[in-house]
């Protein structure tokens, strides 16, 4: 990855520019890149959608999105106006060829006026059903021809199972080179997710311990307190397994479990990650309940507010069998990880929004201390907190002050915001800049997406075959269905309460050495 290089002149074409993603994520990210001086000297952002809108209406609509969603809050009028003069809108029907021909002419015209070749980024912020169609029309209009400068960005979900992902990959790789395709998983753009690489491979301290000899198990939690909000029609056909585990959680697992890359180059890192996916032991279909649990939320209370039943959410079927919670137990069959379970869980309407990785170390091989000294003894644990408080926490044992020998766990804490005192960029800022610079490191390659679907295939098949008769099976505001507790309890373990919540609930029990930043 080339750091500190500003992108060359760029034309950023957004298909589906009238939609939520453009309003909430893409334009706030581009505006922040502009404020931070990362935008190319020459840039045009061209929004395409079915709606009728003038450039001015488009800009006003996007300004409101930036005001509401940018990490910097409301725009500075002068700076916004300077940025907004690069934003344009065109009405376009993606089901016919004409707008694609017009687009080609428009791009040629812009390049001519700049007297320079431009990067052409085709960002597909559209429902999954339109992706193949748009790709084919970009092909017929010869819009992808400049393979060094033309790039296509595809949002998740990337297919809905192994077969559909293969077909989608065949279509895209039949038109574009793999190096032109950017499959986005926004988790890979998060600072703390990227930091897993820095932490693992920029330090010598932990690497000797990072294996089956010292690690008992790993837990990856991505909990959300929100429900499906206005995305019922999409979510009710996806569910937690496809929406979150197939991409975000498996990507985190890859970063935790991968071998050290030889260099920090896109393909090298992606090779090492795909090795992990290939090493995941296939889940036996007949024992699916010992490895996978699903749940759906019923009404409940979260932070003092009433949350409705999933089946009462807009655009969700009244008898829906879609899971809003999923937990898996996976094994990575290689020398490093043989026998170490990886427990993954994610769900909507859980008590809080928290993403955390817990690395649980093994107990000491022999207890030197008398039983009375060990009443509070706990094995070491390393927590990588991804959100909302980004940090790293290490639990270890010390002597409790006093005249007797008594061991007590303490927590050494590192908080990003406290250490660096900066506002980290949003995931989309990192990812859009990488697309403009032509860096694919943080994007998923075709084989990665397929290998991830392959891991989930037995679960998808079993869950389709055996209907969940107990749905809904967890109350909004709780940590998921009882079966998820059983999944881990049957191995003599339990889910880790996220550190941030432990500390919020009881500072003393948290044994804080530094206080979390407010
Ligand atoms: C998206 C999922 O990919 O990630 C959503 O489609 C989910 O359902 C979101 O809410 C969570 O992302 P974050 O960054 O808020 O943790």
């Amino acid at each position: 990855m080339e750091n500190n290089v500003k992108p060359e002149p760029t034309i950023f074409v957004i298909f589906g520019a009238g939609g939520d993603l453009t309003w909430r994520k893409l334009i706030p990210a581009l505006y922040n890149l502009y404020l931070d001086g990362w935008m190319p000297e020459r840039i045009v952002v061209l929004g395409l959608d079915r709606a009728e809108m003038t450039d001015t209406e488009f800009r006003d609509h996007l300004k409101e999105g930036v005001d509401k969603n940018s990490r910097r809050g409301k725009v500075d009028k002068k700076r916004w106006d300077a940025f907004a003069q690069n934003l344009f809108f065109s009405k376009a029907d993606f089901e016919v060829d004409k707008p694609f021909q017009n687009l080609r002419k428009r791009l040629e015209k812009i390049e001519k006026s700049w007297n320079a070749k431009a990067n052409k980024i085709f960002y597909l912020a559209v429902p999954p059903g339109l992706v193949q169609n748009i790709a084919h029309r970009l092909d017929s209009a010869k819009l992808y021809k400049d393979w060094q400068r033309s790039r296509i960005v595809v949002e998740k979900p990337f297919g809905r199972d192994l077969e559909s992902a293969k077909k989608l990959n065949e279509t895209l790789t039949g038109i574009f080179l793999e190096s032109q395709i950017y499959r986005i998983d926004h988790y890979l753009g998060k600072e703390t997710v990227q930091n897993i690489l820095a932490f693992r491979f920029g330090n010598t301290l932990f690497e000797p311990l990072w294996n089956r000899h010292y690690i008992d198990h790993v837990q990856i939690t991505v909990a959300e307190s929100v429900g499906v909000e206005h995305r019922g029609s999409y979510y009710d056909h996806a569910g937690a397994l496809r929406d979150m585990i197939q991409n975000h959680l498996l990507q985190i697992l890859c970063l935790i479990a991968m071998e050290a890359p030889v260099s920090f180059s896109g393909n090298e890192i992606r090779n090492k990650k795909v090795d992990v996916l290939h090493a995941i032991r296939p889940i036996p279909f007949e024992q699916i309940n010992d490895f996978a649990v699903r749940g759906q939320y019923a009404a409940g209370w979260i932070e003092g507010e009433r949350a409705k039943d999933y089946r009462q959410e807009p655009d969700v079927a009244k008898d829906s069998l879609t899971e809003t919670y999923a937990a898996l137990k996976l094994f990575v069959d290689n020398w490093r990880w043989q026998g170490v379970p990886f427990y993954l869980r994610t769900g909507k309407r859980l008590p809080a929004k928290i993403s955390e990785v817990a690395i649980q170390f093994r107990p000491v091989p022999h207890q030197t201390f008398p039983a009375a000294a060990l009443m509070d003894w706990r094995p070491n644990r390393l927590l990588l907190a991804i959100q909302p408080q980004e940090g790293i926490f290490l639990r270890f044992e010390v002597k409790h002050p006093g005249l007797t020998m008594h061991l007590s766990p303490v927590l050494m804490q590192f908080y990003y915001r406290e250490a660096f005192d900066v506002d980290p960029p949003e995931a989309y800022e990192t990812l859009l800049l990488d697309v403009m610079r032509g860096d694919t490191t943080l994007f998923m390659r075709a084989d990665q997406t397929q290998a991830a679907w392959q891991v989930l295939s037995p679960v998808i098949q079993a869950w389709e075959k055996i209907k969940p008769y107990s749905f809904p099976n967890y109350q909004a505001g709780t940590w998921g269905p009882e079966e998820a507790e059983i999944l881990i309890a049957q191995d003599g373990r339990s889910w880790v309460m996220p550190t941030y919540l432990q500390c919020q609930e009881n500072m003393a029990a948290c044994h804080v050495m530094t206080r979390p930043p407010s």
Side-chain angles (χ1 to χ4, degrees):
M1 190 190 291
E2 291 261 12
N3 276 324
N4 309 324
V5 180
K6 253 194 181 191
E8 297 186 343
T10 299
I11 308 170
F12 203 101
V13 183
I14 306 177
F15 291 86
D20 192 55
L21 182 71
T22 310
W23 189 78
R24 232 163 25 92
K25 295 285 183 192
L26 303 184
I27 299 299
L30 290 174
Y31 178 59
N32 279 324
L33 287 172
Y34 167 78
L35 293 184
D36 288 333
W38 282 110
M39 277 305 224
E41 300 301 329
R42 286 179 164 157
I43 173 91
V44 159
V45 178
L46 179 59
L48 303 177
D49 217 322
R50 282 168 181 275
E52 206 60 80
M53 236 192 294
T54 63
D55 290 341
T56 312
E57 285 164 344
F58 184 53
R59 291 169 188 173
D60 289 346
H61 165 70
L62 297 179
K63 176 177 169 293
E64 187 193 296
V66 176
D67 281 342
K68 290 217 166 103
N69 299 299
S70 165
R71 65 183 161 88
R72 288 191 160 101
K74 287 200 167 193
V75 301
D76 170 283
K77 176 144 177 13
K78 222 165 143 198
R79 303 217 67 189
W80 168 260
D81 288 346
F83 169 75
Q85 66 181 10
N86 303 308
L87 307 175
F88 303 90
F89 184 82
S90 267
K91 180 180 157 92
D93 177 353
F94 306 145
E95 314 266 5
V96 291
D97 283 335
K98 188 89 193 309
F100 292 80
Q101 312 289 0
N102 293 344
L103 178 62
R104 199 190 61 229
K105 287 182 204 144
R106 187 150 184 191
L107 301 195
E108 284 166 1
K109 212 165 142 195
I110 296 171
E111 283 186 317
K112 208 161 164 208
S113 72
W114 286 351
N115 196 18
K117 289 269 171 223
N119 290 329
K120 286 166 231 70
I121 294 163
F122 303 108
Y123 200 110
L124 273 48
V126 293
L130 284 176
V131 171
Q132 309 218 30
N133 194 351
I134 294 177
H136 281 303
R137 291 185 201 285
L138 287 172
D139 183 22
S140 336
K142 300 272 175 284
L143 273 158
Y144 69 95
K145 257 195 336 193
D146 181 350
W147 63 269
Q148 273 180 318
R149 293 194 184 82
S150 314
R151 292 160 206 160
I152 184 166
V153 187
V154 186
E155 277 283 337
K156 63 169 269 277
F158 200 83
R160 43 176 297 109
D161 53 21
L162 181 57
E163 280 318 303
S164 53
K166 270 187 187 161
K167 280 204 187 112
L168 186 48
N169 276 329
E170 272 163 24
T171 304
L172 293 179
T173 53
I175 300 170
F176 305 93
L177 298 179
E178 180 61 42
S179 57
Q180 293 178 280
I181 307 170
Y182 291 71
R183 299 173 191 80
I184 280 215
D185 178 335
H186 78 280
Y187 262 60
L188 295 179
K190 288 185 190 273
E191 282 286 298
T192 28
V193 172
Q194 292 179 67
N195 186 50
I196 297 175
L197 285 176
F199 179 76
R200 283 199 57 204
F201 304 124
N203 296 296
T204 47
L205 204 57
F206 293 100
E207 185 52 23
L209 310 179
W210 211 259
N211 57 54
R212 62 191 296 271
H213 300 296
Y214 293 93
I215 294 178
D216 176 75
H217 74 276
V218 176
Q219 293 186 23
I220 302 175
T221 298
V222 178
E224 295 186 274
S225 52
V226 291
V228 285
E229 300 178 295
H230 54 281
R231 296 164 73 226
S233 54
Y234 150 73
Y235 193 89
D236 208 33
H237 291 101
L241 194 70
R242 293 183 168 95
D243 185 50
M244 299 292 285
I245 296 210
Q246 192 273 342
N247 34 75
H248 308 329
L249 279 88
L250 283 181
Q251 287 297 323
I252 296 174
L253 185 153
C254 287
L255 293 169
I256 296 292
M258 69 194 266
E259 295 302 318
V262 174
S263 67
F264 200 59
S265 80
N267 266 334
E268 172 60 5
I269 290 177
R270 300 198 294 181
N271 287 344
K272 291 292 189 287
K273 286 188 355 188
V274 96
D275 282 350
V276 175
L277 293 171
H278 286 148
I280 294 179
R281 186 184 306 167
I283 297 180
F285 186 86
E286 0 16 277
Q287 292 169 31
I288 210 78
N289 293 339
D290 294 336
F291 290 85
V293 163
R294 59 188 150 165
Q296 187 190 78
Y297 62 80
W301 292 87
I302 297 182
E303 289 164 358
E305 292 206 2
R306 181 85 181 145
K308 56 168 99 132
D309 205 287
Y310 172 68
R311 292 176 178 176
Q312 304 301 321
E313 301 275 14
D315 302 321
V316 167
K318 298 290 166 244
D319 54 354
S320 171
L321 295 177
T322 301
E323 80 284 354
T324 58
Y325 177 100
L328 294 186
K329 174 166 77 168
L330 298 173
F331 287 96
V332 179
D333 281 340
N334 59 20
W335 275 48
R336 187 189 283 268
W337 295 114
Q338 190 54 236
V340 178
F342 286 75
Y343 299 98
L344 278 52
R345 63 173 169 166
T346 184
K348 298 225 180 257
R349 289 292 189 214
L350 301 186
K353 180 174 175 69
I354 285 186
S355 302
E356 207 167 86
V357 180
I359 314 284
Q360 178 69 59
F361 290 92
R362 288 186 186 282
V364 292
H366 165 70
Q367 278 294 9
T368 310
F369 301 98
L374 298 173
M375 305 281 273
D376 295 327
W377 182 88
R378 302 274 182 285
N380 297 132
R381 183 189 284 158
L382 179 71
L383 281 148
L384 307 176
I386 293 167
Q387 57 190 22
Q389 293 282 15
E390 296 127 330
I392 297 177
F393 313 105
L394 179 64
R395 182 175 78 184
F396 55 92
E397 293 293 309
V398 295
K399 179 184 177 300
H400 200 279
L403 296 177
T404 55
M405 176 53 84
H406 184 94
L407 300 190
S408 210
V410 289
L411 202 62
M412 191 185 271
Q413 307 195 27
F414 153 74
Y415 285 98
Y416 256 79
R417 277 169 209 270
E418 205 175 53
F420 296 111
D421 198 22
V422 287
D423 195 11
E426 281 270 336
Y428 272 94
E429 293 170 38
T430 305
L431 296 173
L432 297 189
L433 181 60
D434 281 356
V435 177
M436 289 193 277
R437 291 196 295 202
D439 185 340
T440 53
T441 313
L442 297 178
F443 296 82
M444 292 183 293
R445 220 169 44 189
D447 55 343
Q448 266 181 311
T449 54
Q450 287 173 206
W453 281 117
Q454 178 91 52
V455 169
L456 299 187
S457 284
V459 187
I460 292 175
Q461 283 160 18
W463 284 2
E464 264 162 24
K465 203 161 164 208
I466 310 155
K467 300 294 171 208
Y469 295 109
S470 59
F471 274 13
N473 60 351
Y474 71 98
Q475 244 188 336
T478 66
W479 281 103
E482 204 185 332
E483 291 89 330
E485 302 301 325
I486 298 171
L487 175 85
I488 191 163
Q490 68 193 0
D491 297 340
R493 302 183 175 104
S494 58
W495 293 107
V496 172
M497 160 86 110
T499 332
Y500 169 59
L501 285 187
Q502 283 177 43
C503 296
Q504 261 190 347
E505 275 177 17
N506 185 353
M507 272 294 185
C510 200
H511 293 284
V512 277
M513 289 179 175
T514 56
R515 295 183 74 80
S518 51

